Amino acid sequence: MKLKRKIYNRLLAWKKECGGTKAILIEGARRIGKSTICEEFGKNEYKSYLIIDFAKAASNVKEYFEKYLNDLDTFFMLLSAEYGKKLYQRDSLIIFDEVQMFPKAREAIKYLVADGRYDYIETGSLISIRENVKDIVIPSEERHLKMYPLDFEEFAWALGEETLIDYIKSCFTSRKELERTLHNKAMLVFKQYILIGGMPKSVVLFLENHKDFGSSDQEKRDILELYRSDIMKINARYRSKVISIFDQIPGLLSQHEKRIVFKQVKEGSYAGQYEETFFWLSDSMISNECFLCSDPNVGLSANEARTYVKCYLGDTGLLVSHAFDENELLESEVYKQILADKLSLNEGMLYENVIAQMLTANGHKLYFYTHYSEEKHRNDMKIDFLLSNNSKLKYKLYPIEVKSGNNYTIKSMLAFREKYKGRIGECYIIHPRNFMVRDGIICIPPYMTICL
């Protein structure tokens, strides 16, 4: 089953704009479909394509990069013979898959692009990890492109709901609620997205098995084990900290504040000890980090406090399987409870994680805001996410609060709006109900996050 992915159009744009003058490097977590989309692109858009998977490439192939970069005629002849693919000048694509596993191939891009005969796509994760770049010169002839699990829109396409997506966007633009039955339908698709997530094989198994959650859940557990296996191979200096945070993500997100309190992770620990840990999780794109913005102003990153962080799992479907063991899912029918809005436990965790996932897929860096009241001895203002329009001419903030239930207060949002009223564009509450405007605050159903 083919899945329609937005990144395909971005690859088309790269091919047209660059015309062989730049390679493109697709970064993403493992098992999100990087290789599949590259092969599909090569098959559809070129006369021939050749893929070198450096996770299993033969030693002689790697030797070609060591011996023949000064003799590219021989280099291409050997590759063509090894993979049984004829290469056509300006009409063949060469794909370096899992390029982080052989950094010399990435370094070779400089010479291959300069040669100009073919187009090149690299795929990988952990692209910036020190071990993967320490001995090479990073080529400037690379354009970077991040790829994520299927976003909500792509998931809905897979379910055959293109028209529903168009209707959702239309309602957001015209600031009106969806017709009741279509709102209910959109919420059902959204809850399925929470449960299944956007890992391509998980989605395919769900659809091919008549929307059965069992086979999809097993695939997600296999992926989580793969991630754990990857972690166990990293530098021993910070391996235990990475595995500790990875294992504790569901527990950390189930707390009221959701941010990581390091002394609770391990007694006596502090944020500085986990710098490499979060870099690894972020660079592998297993997680989506959200930092505290202490003073929401021009350039959120200029005011981020990296000692205060929330760590979301990159795919919410994986979080569901991570949070509940297999027997718990099956015996207590967690899936059915979530679909029926009867699982109060951890529902806020899943809602906030999926909104983080959707905002990240839309290209937003994640920030949150809290205000501590000395008088009350607690945080009296909490904004789950802060977006900006990134314009220094008319800079505006867009605060977002995520509510998983129908009954909630908006005290924090009103207080934040009052405190920073000169800087705010629009305020959003994301809730399970239909579109509405309340006290000048735009309240949207979670599926409308695709419009932000």
Side-chain angles (χ1 to χ4, degrees):
M1 174 183 179
K2 276 189 180 181
L3 298 171
K4 183 180 175 184
R5 306 298 302 268
K6 294 177 182 177
I7 199 170
Y8 194 97
N9 286 334
R10 298 183 71 181
L11 291 175
L12 282 174
W14 157 75
K15 183 175 187 282
K16 182 179 178 182
E17 291 167 16
C18 293
T21 60
K22 275 188 182 289
I24 195 160
L25 173 62
I26 301 176
E27 297 180 69
R30 299 247 265 149
R31 304 296 285 275
I32 61 161
K34 299 187 296 292
S35 306
T36 301
I37 201 71
C38 289
E39 289 203 62
E40 184 185 340
F41 187 71
K43 184 177 180 181
N44 294 344
E45 308 301 333
Y46 294 84
K47 195 169 181 179
S48 73
Y49 73 93
L50 184 156
I51 182 164
I52 306 172
D53 182 353
F54 287 107
K56 53 187 178 186
S59 58
N60 61 304
V61 172
K62 295 178 180 179
E63 285 175 6
Y64 299 161
F65 288 86
E66 304 282 355
K67 294 180 178 179
Y68 297 109
L69 285 182
N70 291 325
D71 179 6
L72 290 179
D73 289 344
T74 301
F75 177 79
F76 292 127
M77 179 192 71
L78 291 170
L79 282 184
S80 182
E82 178 75 24
Y83 290 95
K85 293 288 184 89
K86 187 170 181 179
L87 296 173
Y88 300 89
Q89 190 158 329
R90 298 306 318 132
D91 204 9
S92 287
L93 173 69
I94 297 179
I95 302 163
F96 292 171
D97 201 20
E98 301 292 355
V99 74
Q100 81 282 355
M101 301 191 79
F102 188 58
K104 284 290 181 183
R106 186 179 176 199
E107 187 176 48
I109 284 293
K110 178 180 180 65
Y111 309 103
L112 298 175
V113 168
D115 172 72
R117 269 178 260 192
Y118 312 115
D119 285 355
Y120 300 89
I121 297 180
E122 306 162 88
T123 78
S125 55
L126 300 168
I127 291 297
S128 304
I129 288 293
R130 206 170 287 124
E131 298 96 289
N132 293 335
V133 296
K134 65 179 180 180
D135 296 322
I136 68 167
V137 176
I138 304 299
S140 58
E141 296 77 9
E142 264 180 0
R143 175 176 292 183
H144 286 234
L145 189 57
K146 289 189 181 295
M147 185 175 178
Y148 300 98
L150 275 79
D151 65 19
F152 176 70
E153 196 169 348
E154 292 169 327
F155 180 80
W157 292 344
L159 270 60
E161 298 292 354
E162 293 93 340
T163 306
L164 180 61
I165 290 294
D166 291 341
Y167 178 57
I168 289 169
K169 290 180 176 179
S170 170
C171 288
F172 180 82
T173 301
S174 57
R175 296 294 197 259
K176 66 180 184 182
E177 64 180 29
L178 276 72
E179 189 274 329
R180 181 181 294 274
T181 57
L182 290 174
H183 165 71
N184 292 338
K185 183 179 184 181
M187 282 303 297
L188 177 60
V189 174
F190 175 76
K191 284 182 276 188
Q192 288 175 324
Y193 181 58
I194 286 179
L195 296 169
I196 299 303
M199 306 307 280
K201 193 171 179 183
S202 171
V203 175
V204 168
L205 287 170
F206 176 64
L207 296 175
E208 288 183 347
N209 290 280
H210 311 290
K211 298 192 176 180
D212 171 63
F213 290 109
S215 54
S216 171
D217 181 66
Q218 187 54 58
E219 170 62 20
K220 289 184 292 173
R221 292 184 189 282
D222 291 344
I223 293 171
L224 289 167
E225 281 304 310
L226 176 69
Y227 288 174
R228 285 184 62 88
S229 175
D230 286 344
I231 293 169
M232 297 312 292
K233 296 172 187 171
I234 67 178
N235 192 307
R237 189 176 67 255
Y238 54 94
R239 181 192 305 146
S240 62
K241 292 187 178 74
V242 174
I243 202 74
S244 175
I245 295 294
F246 177 73
D247 285 344
Q248 292 186 61
I249 286 175
L252 295 167
L253 290 178
S254 64
Q255 298 174 124
H256 175 67
E257 286 283 343
K258 293 185 174 60
R259 74 173 177 86
I260 296 172
V261 179
F262 290 96
K263 64 183 180 182
Q264 292 177 4
V265 175
K266 185 179 179 182
E267 188 62 40
S269 63
Y270 54 91
Q273 295 173 317
Y274 286 82
E275 186 175 352
E276 285 182 313
T277 300
F278 288 109
F279 181 77
W280 192 95
L281 286 168
S282 175
D283 196 59
S284 67
M285 295 174 70
I286 288 174
S287 74
N288 294 319
E289 297 173 336
C290 182
F291 293 106
L292 174 70
C293 183
S294 53
D295 178 24
N297 211 326
V298 176
L300 291 172
S301 60
N303 297 293
E304 68 181 38
R306 297 186 74 88
T307 52
Y308 296 91
V309 59
K310 294 191 283 187
C311 188
Y312 300 102
L313 206 58
D315 181 73
T316 309
L318 289 180
L319 178 61
V320 172
S321 296
H322 197 11
F324 302 97
D325 68 43
E326 201 165 357
N327 291 330
E328 190 178 2
L329 272 176
L330 296 174
E331 289 172 10
S332 62
E333 298 183 302
V334 168
Y335 283 124
K336 289 182 181 178
Q337 291 182 46
I338 291 175
L339 287 172
D341 290 325
K342 292 180 179 176
L343 186 75
S344 56
L345 177 68
N346 290 328
E347 198 163 27
M349 165 186 77
L350 298 176
Y351 259 65
E352 195 166 318
N353 197 92
V354 77
I355 298 304
Q357 181 179 348
M358 294 168 80
L359 292 173
T360 299
N362 275 4
H364 296 291
K365 283 189 70 176
L366 303 180
Y367 298 95
F368 71 99
Y369 173 85
T370 58
H371 176 266
Y372 184 79
S373 169
E374 297 287 352
E375 182 183 339
K376 300 174 184 174
H377 303 290
R378 61 176 174 83
N379 286 331
D380 63 349
M381 209 184 302
K382 182 175 77 74
I383 301 298
D384 296 317
F385 299 107
L386 282 176
L387 307 184
S388 73
N389 59 359
N390 294 319
S391 168
K392 292 181 180 178
L393 295 176
K394 293 184 178 179
Y395 183 85
K396 293 294 181 183
L397 293 170
Y398 297 83
I400 297 171
E401 276 200 86
V402 181
K403 309 292 185 181
S404 59
N406 287 322
N407 300 313
Y408 56 84
T409 67
I410 57 172
K411 288 180 181 178
S412 276
M413 184 63 80
L414 293 173
F416 184 85
R417 186 175 67 178
E418 178 60 29
K419 184 177 178 69
Y420 296 107
K421 54 189 171 186
R423 306 177 189 176
I424 289 175
E426 291 178 322
C427 300
Y428 292 100
I429 299 288
I430 297 175
H431 65 179
R433 298 160 71 182
N434 214 325
F435 181 95
M436 66 175 73
V437 178
R438 179 180 173 189
D439 295 325
I441 293 168
I442 300 169
C443 304
I444 62 172
Y447 52 76
M448 274 189 180
T449 305
I450 61 173
C451 303
L452 299 179

